[in-house]
Amino acid sequence: QTQLVESGGGLVQPGGSLRLSCAASGSIFSIHDMGWYRQAPGKQRDLVAAITRGGRTDYADSVKGRFTISRDNTKNAVYLQMDSLKPEDTAVYYCYAAIFSPDSIKYDYWGQGTQVTVSS
């Protein structure tokens, strides 16, 4: 049973920082792309940041220069460092991983979500 477990959300004041972590466990053959999405109330789930196995990154325009995604392939983990947080960053953040089986079938996995609230 493969699963993604997230941690690190919480309440922070505007201008503050948080670091989200996500680790994959269970039956894992090969993890390719990993990333973070977020969903605010009444809105769709949108990409925040993504990172390939080789370390190439991509960010939503709204978080460029403030958020940094990284990963540790030895730990099957992905991280999101969030700085200069704004109230509009408030959302549930979901970890994502594209995991391939030994017969090259791609499976999409999602974490359970962690709440990030930016408020004074």
Side-chain angles (χ1 to χ4, degrees):
Q1 184 82 8
T2 302
Q3 61 178 352
L4 302 180
V5 178
E6 304 160 358
S7 61
L11 173 64
V12 64
Q13 292 186 341
S17 298
L18 281 176
R19 179 177 169 87
L20 304 183
S21 300
C22 172
S25 63
S27 178
I28 300 169
F29 179 71
S30 179
I31 302 179
H32 286 225
D33 294 349
M34 302 186 81
W36 293 92
Y37 286 70
R38 66 186 180 188
Q39 187 168 20
K43 296 188 177 181
Q44 66 181 20
R45 188 177 298 187
D46 292 323
L47 176 69
V48 176
I51 185 167
T52 66
R53 185 172 181 83
R56 189 176 75 246
T57 59
D58 187 28
Y59 295 93
D61 288 342
S62 60
V63 307
K64 284 180 181 177
R66 300 188 298 121
F67 290 11
T68 303
I69 189 171
S70 61
R71 66 188 284 173
D72 184 339
N73 292 331
T74 66
K75 297 180 179 179
N76 294 326
V78 63
Y79 310 96
L80 186 68
Q81 177 66 41
M82 304 185 292
D83 299 318
S84 302
L85 282 160
K86 304 176 181 180
E88 50 263 44
D89 294 318
T90 296
V92 178
Y93 284 69
Y94 296 91
C95 172
Y96 161 81
I99 300 177
F100 280 79
S101 65
D103 51 357
S104 300
I105 297 175
K106 174 178 167 288
Y107 296 91
D108 294 330
Y109 288 91
W110 294 90
Q112 78 281 6
T114 185
Q115 177 70 45
V116 171
T117 302
V118 184
S119 175
S120 55

